[in-house]
């Protein structure tokens, strides 16, 4: 059996660098960890005490990812160029695939870790009516948005070769995609596209497919693929058990069913993960060409 | 053996390196000399497989660097002119990282690391963090990293730049030792005295063109076909100048700082005859010697100070 090849990039970034940081500046890192732990505990208590909506911890998780993911990825390759270390790395026997996985794997692991940190908060929210679908879809959405951010950041870092430019582009890009675009879309369309084909009308898988096509054709995906609006919609899924029967006078029971047919949360996650894979592929291709790997 | 065959690199209209040809054998320490912008780094990057040549190729032990870069890379060690080191790890961890990246088996890593640390005189710093090392030590660490997989060709781009005199001497000693170990060492620099000490071969490049290459002694001999003799007379120099100008092998006499610098076309026999004749004619000569060329003279005679 072929021995599993070692990836020193993954091991060093995940363990050695982190361990050494703690060893060298235990007070600084200890204080930071204590502050984060305290904030976490405070939030946890608030959510548990008030049985906050599922959307609350998910939104906090998403905000944390929006802030932290660019920090994880902004210098993945640009630092190699700025510090003149890439040539030494390129000449080793590591393949382009190993270099990519070494760097991408580290940040994906960190994104996954950060996402899972919010699982206990989700479990204590809405204690009576928690929906497994919403929890899984929400966590996957947060993770996949983080995966998209780090993959895009990795590719930008490779292309721009400048740490500061990459970090700026990542944060500015998020403001553009998450805030400005949906606001402008809503302002100009007055949300008419949604009225033409509302979610509660989707009552089959084929209708769901048409709904998504419609969303893309009317540029409504600018809102529907926004992770924050996706999370807000997920909160309706808790009603699915309370309104199990068809109620012609109420849209509330049908609305969550529409979300289920649309695979709400999972579809967006799949889209983000596809984009993440695309950026990873572009980085891989760039490594093959530029580093002659 | 490194066999460079017509290596050429163009960046748009600019020809950075023009059809280089040279061969190096194990144990050769080749000084690659040229002014800034002459094409040294471009050539080294092509040999290091980091840059694809526009035309031509080179083979290392018969393996084509253009067609099989992945096969050549384990055979070469490269130290760039601007190098960086991963920070936040110790010297040993840094070398362990590269040992793993070069697929040195785990069981051999400790010994290999110990050996390169000893060779580069860094054993006492093995637990120090990389960024705490002095510039000279970082340079040696970079060299240690380049040696960890026991390459047969070492490409060192300006290895002594930015170093203090002691660190320069240490790097020179190290390069000499590597040549003695049978490695092919290609070292570029524009500081000539430092190369003169340890190179057995040199190549002078200007405007991307290799003007001359070969054994140092051979090149000096070629350039000294027209020798310069320094003659210091006692007393008035004028009669001696007139006497020298009558000599058929003398092509010019320059009086400078009390001495006469005589451009002489003859060999050693003719030099001895000239000295005998001058003494016979009653001239009192305090100094009579042939001006020997060093690398700086060779460089100045061959190059015109142009960049590509």
């Amino acid at each position: 059996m072929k021995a599993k090849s070692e990836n020193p990039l993954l091991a060093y970034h995940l363990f050695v660098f982190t361990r050494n940081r703690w060893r060298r500046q235990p007070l600084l890192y200890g204080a930071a960890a204590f502050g984060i732990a305290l904030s976490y505990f405070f939030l946890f208590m608030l959510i548990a005490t008030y049985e906050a909506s599922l959307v609350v911890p998910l939104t906090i998780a998403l905000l944390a990812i929006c802030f932290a993911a660019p920090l994880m990825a902004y210098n993945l390759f640009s630092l190699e160029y700025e510090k003149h270390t890439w040539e030494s790395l390129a000449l080793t026997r590591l393949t382009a695939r190993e270099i990519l996985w070494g760097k991408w794997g580290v940040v994906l692991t960190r994104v996954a870790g950060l996402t899972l940190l919010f699982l206990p908060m989700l479990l204590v929210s809405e204690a009576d009516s928690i929906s497994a679908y919403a929890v899984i879809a929400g966590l996957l959405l947060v993770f996949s948005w983080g995966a998209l951010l780090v993959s895009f950041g990795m590719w930008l870092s490779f292309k721009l070769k400048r740490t500061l430019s990459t970090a700026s582009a990542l944060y500015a890009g998020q403001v553009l995609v998450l805030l400005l675009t949906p606001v402008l879309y809503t302002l100009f369309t007055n949300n008419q596209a949604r009225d033409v084909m509302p979610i509660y009308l989707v009552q089959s898988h084929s209708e769901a497919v048409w709904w998504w096509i419609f969303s893309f054709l009317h540029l409504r995906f600018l809102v529907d693929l926004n992770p924050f609006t996706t999370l807000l919609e997920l909160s309706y899924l808790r009603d699915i058990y309370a309104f199990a029967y068809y109620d012609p006078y109420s849209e509330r029971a049908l609305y969550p069913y529409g979300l289920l047919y649309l695979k709400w949360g999972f579809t967006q996650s799949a889209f983000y993960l596809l984009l993440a894979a695309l950026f990873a592929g572009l980085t891989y291709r760039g490594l093959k060409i530029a580093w002659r790997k | 053996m490194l066999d460079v065959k017509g290596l050429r690199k163009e960046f748009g209209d600019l020809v950075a390196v023009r059809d280089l040809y040279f061969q190096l054998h194990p144990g050769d320490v080749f000084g690659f000399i040229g002014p800034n912008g002459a094409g040294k780094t471009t050539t080294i990057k092509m040999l290091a497989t980091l840059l694809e040549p526009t035309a031509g190729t080179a083979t290392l032990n018969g393996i084509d660097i253009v067609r099989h870069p992945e096969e050549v890379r384990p055979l070469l060690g490269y130290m760039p002119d601007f190098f960086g080191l991963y920070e936040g790890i110790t010297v040993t961890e840094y070398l362990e990282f590269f040992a793993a990246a070069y697929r040195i088996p785990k069981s051999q890593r400790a010994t290999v690391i110990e050996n390169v640390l000893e060779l580069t005189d860094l054993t006492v710093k093995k637990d120090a963090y990389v960024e705490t090392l002095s510039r000279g030590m970082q340079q040696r660490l970079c060299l240690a990293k380049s040696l960890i997989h026991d390459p047969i060709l070492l490409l060192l781009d300006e290895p002594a730049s930015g170093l203090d005199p002691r660190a320069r001497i240490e790097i020179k000693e190290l390069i000499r030792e590597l040549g003695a170990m049978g490695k092919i060492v290609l070292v570029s620099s524009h500081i000539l005295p430092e190369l003169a000490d340890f190179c057995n071969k040199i190549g002078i490049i200007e405007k991307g063109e290799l003007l001359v290459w070969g054994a140092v002694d051979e090149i000096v001999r070629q350039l000294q076909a027209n020798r310069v003799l320094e003659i210091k007379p006692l007393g008035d120099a004028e009669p001696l100048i007139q006497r020298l100008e009558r000599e058929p092998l003398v092509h010019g006499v320059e009086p400078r700082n009390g001495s006469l610098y005589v451009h002489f076309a003859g060999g050693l026999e003719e030099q001895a005859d000239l000295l005998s004749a001058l003494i016979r004619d009653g001239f009192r000569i305090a100094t009579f010697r042939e001006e020997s060329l060093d690398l700086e003279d060779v460089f100045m005679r061959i190059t015109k100070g142009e960049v590509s």
Side-chain angles (χ1 to χ4, degrees), chain B residues 14-302:
Chain B
L14 177 83
V15 182
V17 173
R18 262 169 227 272
D19 312 322
L20 301 193
Y21 288 88
F22 61 89
Q23 291 87 39
L24 300 175
H25 296 92
D28 278 345
V29 179
F30 182 72
F32 201 37
I33 306 167
N36 290 332
K40 299 189 296 289
T41 299
T42 306
T43 305
I44 289 177
K45 278 187 194 282
M46 284 193 284
L47 293 176
T49 72
L50 292 166
L51 205 58
E52 200 164 357
T54 309
T57 189
T59 57
L60 181 59
N61 279 8
I63 307 169
D64 194 304
I65 63 157
V66 179
R67 277 196 240 159
H68 308 291
E70 285 300 310
E71 285 176 44
V72 172
R73 284 173 178 179
L75 304 179
L76 62 89
Y78 169 57
M79 190 167 140
D81 49 352
F82 295 106
F83 68 92
L85 304 165
Y86 293 120
E87 294 177 356
I89 53 175
T90 65
V91 167
T92 306
E93 285 167 347
Y94 179 81
L95 293 173
E96 271 172 1
F97 172 85
F98 277 98
Y102 276 107
R103 311 237 195 274
I104 294 170
K106 269 186 183 168
S107 55
Q108 294 170 21
R109 275 180 214 163
T111 316
V112 168
I113 290 169
E114 203 178 303
N115 290 343
V116 291
L117 283 173
E118 202 176 318
L119 182 67
T120 51
D121 206 13
L122 280 172
T123 310
V124 288
K125 291 284 177 185
K126 65 179 183 179
D127 295 322
Y129 281 97
V130 166
E131 63 272 26
T132 63
L133 299 179
S134 67
R135 168 84 185 162
M137 283 179 183
Q138 288 191 350
Q139 207 103 348
R140 277 188 275 152
L141 178 59
C142 189
L143 192 55
K145 178 267 300 171
S146 311
L147 290 168
I148 202 143
H149 55 296
D150 195 20
I152 56 172
L153 168 66
L154 268 170
L155 302 165
L156 312 177
D157 198 358
E158 306 276 358
S161 66
L163 295 185
D164 62 39
R166 174 173 285 276
R168 259 169 210 267
I169 292 166
E170 286 168 355
I171 282 278
K172 273 199 299 198
E173 288 301 319
L174 195 51
I175 293 172
R176 194 180 284 133
E177 206 173 326
L178 292 169
M181 286 164 71
K183 298 191 184 301
I184 305 169
V185 185
L186 190 152
V187 49
S188 83
S189 182
H190 54 260
I191 303 167
L192 302 180
E194 77 186 21
L195 287 177
D197 288 351
F198 56 82
C199 294
N200 66 328
K201 287 183 178 170
I202 57 162
I204 296 180
I205 186 170
E206 189 179 41
K207 264 188 120 179
E209 201 171 336
L210 194 61
L211 302 174
V212 64
W213 80 274
V216 178
D217 303 340
E218 186 58 37
I219 291 174
V220 169
R221 210 166 25 246
Q222 282 170 18
L223 287 172
Q224 280 188 321
N226 197 351
R227 292 154 201 259
V228 176
L229 304 177
E230 183 192 352
I231 303 174
K232 188 170 185 153
L234 289 178
D236 187 12
E238 201 49 44
L240 182 57
I241 294 173
Q242 287 170 7
R243 168 69 181 83
L244 284 168
E245 282 173 348
R246 289 202 299 274
E247 277 290 322
L249 291 174
V250 171
H251 296 304
V253 182
E254 273 176 58
R256 210 190 318 145
N257 301 332
S259 291
L260 302 176
Y261 290 87
V262 180
H263 293 267
F264 188 69
L268 288 174
E269 284 285 327
E270 288 81 7
Q271 274 185 50
D273 291 344
L274 177 65
L275 179 61
S276 305
L278 293 177
I279 291 168
R280 224 176 20 246
D281 291 351
F283 290 103
R284 297 181 70 206
I285 308 292
T287 304
F288 186 99
R289 68 177 186 91
E290 184 185 328
E291 227 192 2
S292 62
L293 290 180
D294 59 17
L295 267 187
E296 281 186 23
D297 299 318
V298 169
F299 182 73
M300 290 308 287
R301 283 191 187 191
I302 290 174

Side-chain angles (χ1 to χ4, degrees), chain A:
Chain A
M1 201 174 95
K2 196 184 164 191
K4 197 182 166 194
S5 75
E6 190 184 3
N7 192 333
L9 265 179
L10 194 70
Y12 270 70
H13 279 289
L14 266 185
F15 307 114
V16 182
F17 289 115
T18 315
R19 185 192 65 203
N20 287 354
R21 271 185 204 142
W22 277 86
R23 269 190 195 162
R24 296 185 74 187
Q25 293 177 303
L27 273 179
L28 181 74
Y29 282 91
F34 180 73
I36 292 168
L38 207 64
S39 311
Y40 181 86
F41 182 71
F42 180 68
L43 279 172
F44 184 87
M45 290 307 290
L46 275 180
I47 290 165
T49 309
Y50 295 102
E51 289 190 12
S53 160
L54 190 79
V55 175
V56 175
L58 280 176
T59 306
I60 296 169
L62 192 58
L63 282 170
I65 285 286
C66 288
F67 175 74
L71 290 179
M72 295 174 191
Y74 75 109
N75 62 4
L76 275 181
F77 282 98
S78 56
L79 208 60
E80 299 273 6
Y81 286 108
E82 286 172 350
K83 292 230 166 198
H84 303 282
T85 51
W86 76 270
E87 288 165 329
S88 299
L89 190 60
L91 288 181
T92 63
R93 299 183 77 172
L94 294 174
T95 61
R97 194 184 297 262
E98 284 169 322
I99 292 172
L100 182 83
W101 271 112
K103 288 179 177 283
W104 200 37
V106 170
V107 287
L108 285 181
T109 308
R110 286 181 183 154
V111 167
L114 185 60
T115 308
L116 285 176
L117 210 62
F118 289 89
L119 180 61
M121 284 189 192
L122 294 182
L123 296 178
V124 296
S125 67
E126 298 186 284
D128 295 335
S129 57
I130 192 155
S131 152
Y133 177 101
V135 170
I136 294 168
L139 280 179
L140 185 64
L141 189 87
V142 172
F143 168 75
S144 51
W145 180 254
L148 171 57
L149 279 180
V150 292
S151 311
F152 181 56
M154 178 173 73
W155 177 71
L156 267 185
S157 173
F158 184 81
K159 290 299 279 184
L160 298 178
K161 300 185 174 78
R162 293 281 175 274
T163 297
L164 202 61
S165 315
T166 308
S168 314
L170 278 172
Y171 284 113
Q174 283 199 94
V175 172
L176 182 78
V177 170
L178 298 179
L179 188 69
L180 292 181
T181 312
V183 167
L184 286 175
Y185 175 82
T186 313
L187 279 177
F188 283 104
T189 62
N190 201 19
N191 233 1
Q192 284 164 348
R194 186 147 220 180
D195 296 336
V196 178
M197 193 169 183
I199 287 175
Y200 66 81
L201 283 185
V202 178
Q203 291 299 309
S204 70
H205 290 297
S206 59
E207 281 173 1
V209 172
W210 280 113
W211 191 93
W212 278 115
I213 292 170
F214 177 84
S215 172
F216 274 88
L217 290 178
H218 285 79
L219 297 180
R220 218 203 115 74
F221 70 92
L222 295 172
V223 175
D224 293 325
L225 289 178
N226 185 308
F228 285 98
T229 50
T230 307
L231 285 185
L232 283 175
E233 302 288 354
L234 279 181
S235 66
Y236 289 102
L237 286 168
R238 74 168 185 277
D239 293 339
I240 199 161
Y241 304 107
F243 298 92
Y245 300 102
Y246 175 76
D247 178 2
Y249 303 107
S250 164
E251 292 167 1
R252 297 187 68 196
L254 293 173
Y255 194 83
Y257 279 116
L259 289 174
L260 284 184
Y261 283 118
L262 288 170
K263 303 277 181 274
W264 196 259
F266 288 98
T267 310
Q268 286 90 338
S269 300
F271 182 74
Y272 303 155
L273 289 175
L274 263 177
L275 279 181
L278 173 74
F279 287 118
L282 287 173
T283 312
Y284 175 72
R285 190 170 158 268
L287 275 175
K288 296 278 285 179
I289 295 168
W291 292 22
R292 302 191 67 213
K293 277 287 187 186

